[in-house]
Amino acid sequence: MFIYKMIRLVLMLSLCTFFLGCIWFFISSALQEEDRDTWYYVFKLDEKPIFYQLITSLYFALTILATVGYGDYYPISDLEMVFAVSCMMIGVGVFSVVMNQVGQIIEKYNLQMGDPD
């Protein structure tokens, strides 16, 4: 039962990261094709294979959600910055929910195993 809850939690985070990465990619590539000053074009993702573009978008989305900061990729245009700030706020909420869920899973596990702590 505990493993099921942990797997469900990881899947939820993976789906959230995937969809935010796809939205991020769409904002940078499709919505701003006339403005070549975006994350997609500055980091030359238009010259890379689609698999590389997907992995890079997911990496960036996870970096935003985890609120660990930027390193090699960062938002360029105003729209990208607004989206990044929104994702960071979502990331704080997601992180809080995840930590709460993990705490509850551990607490229930300890109660069922008879641990007095």
Side-chain angles (χ1 to χ4, degrees), residues 17 58-73 88:
T17 302
L58 294 178
Y59 164 76
F60 187 75
L62 187 59
T63 303
I64 290 176
L65 281 177
T67 63
V68 294
Y70 303 118
D72 39 2
Y73 298 106
M88 283 185 250

Side-chain angles (χ1 to χ4, degrees), residues 1-72:
M1 184 61 140
F2 301 108
I3 293 175
Y4 167 74
K5 287 184 179 183
M6 291 300 284
I7 290 172
R8 189 177 70 182
L9 194 59
V10 168
L11 286 175
M12 180 191 72
L13 287 174
S14 298
L15 282 173
C16 187
T17 302
F18 177 76
F19 284 116
L20 285 177
C22 289
I23 293 169
W24 174 258
F25 181 81
F26 181 71
I27 285 174
S28 296
S29 63
L31 289 182
Q32 298 184 351
E33 277 186 356
E34 69 278 350
D35 180 16
R36 308 282 277 175
D37 192 25
T38 66
W39 175 84
Y40 181 76
Y41 295 107
V42 168
F43 294 110
K44 297 182 172 55
L45 289 177
D46 56 332
E47 301 170 5
K48 307 284 183 177
I50 192 71
F51 184 73
Y52 182 85
Q53 294 174 2
L54 174 67
I55 295 299
T56 305
S57 297
L58 294 178
Y59 164 76
F60 187 75
L62 187 59
T63 303
I64 290 176
L65 281 177
T67 63
V68 294
Y70 303 118
D72 39 2

